[in-house]
Amino acid sequence: MLETLDADAVRRWCAGGLAALRRHQGEIDDLNVYPVPDGDTGTNLVLTLTSAQQALAMDLDTSPEGGATPHGHALRLMARGALLGARGNSGVILAQLLRGLAEVLAGVPAVRGRALAEALRAAADTAYGAVAHPVEGTLLSVAAAAAGGAEEAAGGDDLCAVARAAAGAAARALARTPEQLITLAHAGVVDAGGRGLCLLLDALVEVVSGEPSTRPARPPATAVREATAVREATAVREAGSGPYAYEVQYLLDATPEAVARLRATLDALGDSLVVVGDGGPPGRSTTWNVHVHVDDVGAAVEAGVVAGRPYRISVTRFADQVAPAPPPPGPAEDGRAAVVVASGAGLAELLAGEGAAVVSGDPSVGELLDAVRATGAAQVVVLPTGPATQAVAGTVAHRAQADGVKVSVVPTRSPVQALAALAVRDPRRAFEDDVIAMAEAAGACRYAEVCHASREALTVAGPCRPGDVLALVEGEVHLIGRDLVDTCAALVDRMLGGGGELVTLLAGADAPPGLTEAVRAHVADRWPFVEVHAYVGGQPNHPLLVGVE
């Protein structure tokens, strides 16, 4: 049992909390009926805490900075990572809760019970302050109850007692959420975000007590619906039939004064407005995470441009997430197909498994056009997977119009981007919307390739000699090495340093045995919460292709 919360305990709490959220991700997604029944709260919380965990992993020494203690520095890393990676309403609120904890505990020499209770209260107050119109029966209510329970138990200054009291009060508050929010009562569920917070508090109890949680795997006082039952109990929002049609979220570099004006503007445009930041003095630009539900996406983004510099902008149409799913039609029924240009037997098999027709090598316009015609589809997506075939694909798209075939080119530059694009194909969407989604998925997949230098050259990473291992990220040499495995591992480290949750490895025709296994083992050791998929691609000239999403 821990008497104080140190940096190592913070790390174990983050890891344990993330593991718990992943175990219950589907359950929490199924609970999600408020504010929008889009079934993604569990996923959003996992992605948010994954970003926090990666921020911790990138600063292994937890060196104190700015007067912070080691545990305070670790909490600040968690909060900063969560802020940058926060997804959805609950993810943004969770990031603000972590910020509140970090601000109080950063300068406390030894975190015991009273300090934890004070931090939980500050976290709850900070989260309430970030939401334009707080609603009871949500994650906010559960956070406030946790703080209240902690304060009641703080008299003895016992860390474990306070953590247990906070977790217990949160669980009881979670069971009351249907009494506070009619939407939950009608669906027969508890609040999804609050359920996630309860799991995080239980993980904290496990860390400080050294004992596994004895709380039931699912909240007892309220029935938890299965996904199918809930979809029947919840009205579907078709094309914005509810209050607002879109969720808009972006990071923003702006001053607190500009953000105050932004809040007023966005509040007039929509609802579910949450704006969280990493703190900072008046007049100085800092980073904020902005979340809002609107009908006018352009106005929401333009408001961010007026306030500062918005980036990593994401837009989600609720109707795409909650509409009932018909049986997926095959190519002959929906008249759609995908054609990918790629070389390698393994790659061809992978891509064919995703429902694509594969053309190998560097096809001519005639060869690629023949492949499009052979699909028999009226709407075809072409993924060239390299700059050499981009122009060919464009010409094919133009010529196919004469046959009455609509061809859209998704500008992929690597087979890993093609795999990412194919993974999000959805025949339920309009063809144009599906192409946009595929292009966004491909663009979000950073790609790299490893090859051997054939001659001496001067690169942006320095001079290379014949036989050197070259690691190129998005077409530019980033690393030069002598050992293939070491260079591949260093390449993946460099890419994951910019964030990422999924690594795809494609072993080439001349890859030595065990290459992908060695890289996978390295990722498991250095980035334990990153998922790795490894395949035999069989592509020529490149022992390894890498994708990071």
Side-chain angles (χ1 to χ4, degrees):
M1 184 179 297
L2 298 180
E3 294 184 359
T4 62
L5 190 72
D6 57 18
D8 180 64
V10 171
R11 293 180 177 284
R12 287 187 284 120
W13 174 42
C14 186
L18 180 56
L21 287 174
R22 281 180 167 156
R23 286 196 302 271
H24 296 270
Q25 180 176 340
E27 171 205 328
I28 298 174
D29 280 343
D30 287 345
L31 291 171
N32 181 199
V33 298
Y34 182 88
V36 175
D38 48 356
D40 63 355
T41 295
T43 301
N44 287 338
L45 288 174
V46 166
L47 293 174
T48 301
L49 204 61
T50 296
S51 183
Q53 195 278 334
Q54 289 174 342
L56 281 172
M58 290 167 63
D59 193 330
L60 297 176
D61 295 331
T62 46
S63 305
E65 61 179 34
T69 55
H71 59 264
H73 179 64
L75 284 166
R76 283 179 174 174
L77 287 173
M78 274 186 71
R80 175 71 176 175
L83 170 71
L84 296 179
R87 303 287 185 89
N89 200 54
S90 294
V92 175
I93 294 174
L94 174 60
Q96 195 73 339
L97 288 170
L98 291 174
R99 176 193 167 192
L101 284 173
E103 286 184 344
V104 171
L105 299 180
V108 177
V111 179
R112 294 186 173 87
R114 278 192 288 270
L116 178 60
E118 181 183 348
L120 288 171
R121 173 56 64 191
D125 291 345
T126 302
Y128 267 91
V131 179
H133 302 285
V135 175
E136 297 304 316
T138 64
L139 189 159
L140 295 174
S141 307
V142 177
E151 289 167 337
E152 291 179 3
D157 205 20
D158 182 274
L159 177 66
C160 185
V162 169
R164 287 187 189 278
R172 292 188 294 275
L174 177 67
R176 293 193 299 271
T177 55
E179 303 170 14
Q180 299 171 294
L181 197 56
I182 191 65
T183 304
L184 303 178
H186 284 166
V189 299
V190 294
D191 180 68
R195 172 62 170 146
L197 180 59
C198 285
L199 290 171
L200 292 180
L201 291 171
D202 285 342
L204 178 61
V205 171
E206 291 188 9
V207 169
V208 299
S209 69
E211 301 173 354
S213 173
T214 57
R215 207 174 307 282
R218 289 189 171 218
T222 304
V224 178
R225 61 157 164 75
E226 298 298 330
T228 53
V230 175
R231 292 296 174 254
E232 293 173 358
T234 306
V236 174
R237 296 178 58 173
E238 295 182 351
S241 61
Y244 297 99
Y246 298 94
E247 177 186 60
V248 177
Q249 189 167 357
Y250 49 80
L251 294 179
L252 177 72
D253 289 341
T255 63
E257 295 81 3
V259 168
R261 295 189 292 270
L262 173 67
R263 287 178 190 268
T265 301
L266 293 180
D267 194 29
L269 289 174
D271 67 6
S272 293
L273 174 61
V274 187
V275 182
V276 303
D278 56 2
R284 194 181 78 184
S285 180
T286 55
T287 304
W288 306 80
N289 196 312
V290 179
H291 172 279
V292 67
H293 295 173
V294 295
D295 280 330
D296 192 340
V297 174
V301 175
E302 179 63 27
V305 173
V306 172
R309 184 178 74 89
Y311 55 103
R312 278 166 60 172
I313 301 168
S314 69
V315 178
T316 301
R317 190 170 76 124
F318 293 126
D320 291 337
Q321 294 184 288
V322 300
E333 294 178 50
D334 70 357
R336 295 187 196 174
V339 176
V340 186
V341 179
S343 297
L347 263 175
E349 184 176 350
L350 275 174
L351 295 165
E354 293 291 338
V358 182
V359 181
S360 63
D362 294 319
S364 65
V365 171
E367 290 171 333
L368 189 55
L369 184 58
D370 287 344
V372 168
R373 289 168 173 161
T375 65
Q379 298 171 321
V380 180
V381 177
V382 174
L383 301 99
T385 72
T389 50
Q390 291 281 354
V392 173
T395 302
V396 167
H398 179 72
R399 291 192 181 179
Q401 291 179 353
D403 297 334
V405 178
K406 182 172 184 177
V407 173
S408 291
V409 180
V410 174
T412 50
R413 294 181 173 271
S414 170
V416 292
Q417 288 189 317
L419 287 170
L422 291 171
V424 301
R425 289 173 73 199
D426 188 350
R428 295 171 297 178
R429 285 191 288 246
F431 178 69
E432 292 78 9
D433 291 342
D434 209 26
V435 171
I436 291 172
M438 294 175 71
E440 288 176 343
C445 177
R446 286 169 289 134
Y447 66 93
E449 55 198 24
V450 178
C451 62
H452 289 92
S454 58
R455 58 183 174 84
E456 288 189 3
L458 183 62
T459 74
V460 293
C464 68
R465 301 186 303 274
D468 282 350
V469 181
L470 305 181
L472 294 83
V473 179
E474 299 188 348
E476 186 172 272
V477 178
H478 275 230
L479 295 170
I480 301 174
R482 299 295 298 175
D483 182 85
L484 179 60
V485 173
D486 290 346
T487 305
C488 290
L491 169 64
V492 173
D493 283 341
R494 177 161 297 195
M495 296 181 75
L496 287 174
E501 303 153 8
L502 171 65
V503 174
T504 301
L505 305 175
L506 296 176
D510 56 348
L515 175 61
T516 55
E517 289 79 1
V519 176
R520 184 200 290 272
H522 172 81
V523 173
D525 180 63
R526 182 71 188 275
W527 309 89
F529 296 102
V530 172
E531 186 177 359
V532 179
H533 292 172
Y535 307 99
V536 176
Q539 69 276 0
N541 306 321
H542 297 100
L544 190 69
L545 298 178
V546 181
V548 173
E549 300 170 61

